[in-house]
Amino acid sequence: MVQDNDTTVTSFILTGLTDRQDLQLPLFAVFSFIYGLTLLSNLGMIFIIRFEPQLHTPMYFLLSSLSFLDVCYSSTITPNMLLNFLMVSNGVSYSGCLTQYGFFALFATTEMFLLAAMAYDRYMAICNPLLYTVIVTRKVCVLLIAGSYLGGAVNSLIHTLGLLRLSFCSLNVIDHFFCDLIPLLRLSCSDIHLNKTLVSVFGSVIEATTLAITVTSYFFIIITVLRIRSAKGRQKTFSTCASHFTSVFTFHGTILLMYLCPSSSHSLGTEKIVSVFYTVAVPLLNPLIYSLRNHDVKCAARKLLKRKVFMS
């Protein structure tokens, strides 16, 4: 319900992915399948890494952390979107909306830092193999993961607190399928200059930092791989790195398009499509990319499956 001009908004209404009623049930079925597959593939990846000793290395420890993060990331958005497909009124409380955005910002930013940490891990493994096991220990991996969550928490807290200082006077219809920052800023009747500045500054700094680490790591990785005389060795190394690079490209590409490009350059429909990609598709693509392109993961999955069949 839209509030009067002299009242404060206490709830919001999400328009959802589309207002066409004939598409609600088909979209519910499609996204239910995607969400179920996302949970199955990511939890399966965690299970494989956990119970296969061959994968008890820093690289796969970070990968299992990425899978756990993707489960949390997807679960922040998709269940509520599925519920909205079945409801006539897609209302969400003010506190619930800000809570959803806070967790979304936390997990999205953490993933950016974690992908950069995984690039550093590949750099050390390929460019400094003799020092790799000495420098990249389990303790260092834990610190990298903790640092990623800390960076995500700081960014989330800053933008969430920025939203708390705003007033929402009359408009309460969010033309989106979840409570995202940009649509919320459009509804505010307060001065949002500071919020836009924070988005530009922190978004640019985080993007520049994580991309610089990733690009620099892969620059040295490519130079090192090209020096490998064995064609089989080059192929195996490139195959391992290609999985991670694909994840980085898909995630960062959509984030850059959504938050750092001028808002006038894309329509609301485009915003929703891009948002679906990085909130729903990316958490599904990550485990599929790593499992389909990674020989070790495929071998470990087959071994665990044969062991399960044999024991049953």
Side-chain angles (χ1 to χ4, degrees), residues 47 142 155 292:
F47 178 83
V142 171
N155 186 59
L292 292 175

Side-chain angles (χ1 to χ4, degrees), residues 62-63 65-67 69-70 73 107-123 144-145 148-149 207 209-211 213-215 217-218 243-255 282 286 289-290:
L62 293 172
L63 179 55
S65 299
L66 178 66
S67 292
L69 184 62
D70 279 335
Y73 183 36
F107 296 131
T109 310
T110 300
E111 182 146 340
M112 296 169 71
F113 283 113
L114 187 57
L115 288 172
M118 293 173 72
Y120 170 74
D121 169 75
R122 289 299 82 208
Y123 161 75
L144 288 172
I145 295 168
S148 298
Y149 276 96
E207 273 290 338
T209 302
T210 54
L211 278 178
I213 293 171
T214 304
V215 171
S217 297
Y218 275 96
S243 301
H244 178 254
F245 191 77
T246 304
S247 295
V248 171
F249 178 78
T250 54
F251 186 72
H252 279 277
T254 51
I255 292 291
V282 168
N286 279 340
I289 290 169
Y290 280 101

Side-chain angles (χ1 to χ4, degrees), residues 27 34 67 69 73 106 111 151 183 223 225-226 247 277:
L27 286 173
I34 293 175
S67 292
L69 184 62
Y73 183 36
L106 166 65
E111 182 146 340
I223 292 176
V225 170
L226 291 176
S247 295
F277 193 81

Side-chain angles (χ1 to χ4, degrees), residues 1-179:
M1 178 176 179
V2 178
Q3 313 292 325
D4 295 332
N5 290 333
D6 58 348
T7 61
T8 300
V9 168
T10 58
S11 63
F12 295 99
I13 296 174
L14 296 166
T15 60
L17 201 56
T18 177
D19 57 359
R20 290 184 52 180
Q21 293 301 314
D22 59 316
L23 293 179
Q24 300 301 313
L25 286 178
L27 286 173
F28 173 80
V30 169
F31 283 99
S32 293
F33 175 77
I34 293 175
Y35 182 56
L37 193 58
T38 299
L39 295 181
L40 181 64
S41 56
N42 280 290
L43 293 175
M45 181 69 76
I46 295 171
F47 178 83
I48 291 170
I49 294 172
R50 172 67 178 83
F51 290 100
E52 178 49 56
Q54 181 185 351
L55 302 182
H56 291 176
T57 64
M59 171 184 168
Y60 292 106
F61 181 65
L62 293 172
L63 179 55
S64 65
S65 299
L66 178 66
S67 292
F68 173 77
L69 184 62
D70 279 335
V71 169
C72 298
Y73 183 36
S74 179
S75 298
T76 301
I77 305 297
T78 310
N80 189 64
M81 181 173 65
L82 293 175
L83 187 62
N84 289 342
F85 283 135
L86 303 177
M87 299 175 64
V88 177
S89 177
N90 302 330
V92 57
S93 67
Y94 173 83
S95 59
C97 192
L98 264 62
T99 299
Q100 184 187 46
Y101 169 73
F103 279 108
F104 161 72
L106 166 65
F107 296 131
T109 310
T110 300
E111 182 146 340
M112 296 169 71
F113 283 113
L114 187 57
L115 288 172
M118 293 173 72
Y120 170 74
D121 169 75
R122 289 299 82 208
Y123 161 75
M124 289 299 301
I126 296 169
C127 300
N128 298 282
L130 298 178
L131 297 175
Y132 178 61
T133 56
V134 177
I135 296 176
V136 187
T137 61
R138 176 60 68 95
K139 181 179 179 180
V140 170
C141 289
V142 171
L143 289 175
L144 288 172
I145 295 168
S148 298
Y149 276 96
L150 178 61
V154 170
N155 186 59
S156 174
L157 186 62
I158 287 172
H159 292 304
T160 304
L161 291 176
L163 285 172
L164 285 171
R165 58 175 286 275
L166 299 180
S167 297
F168 297 89
C169 305
S170 58
L171 301 175
N172 72 334
V173 178
I174 301 174
D175 193 3
H176 215 322
F177 60 88
F178 75 101
C179 296

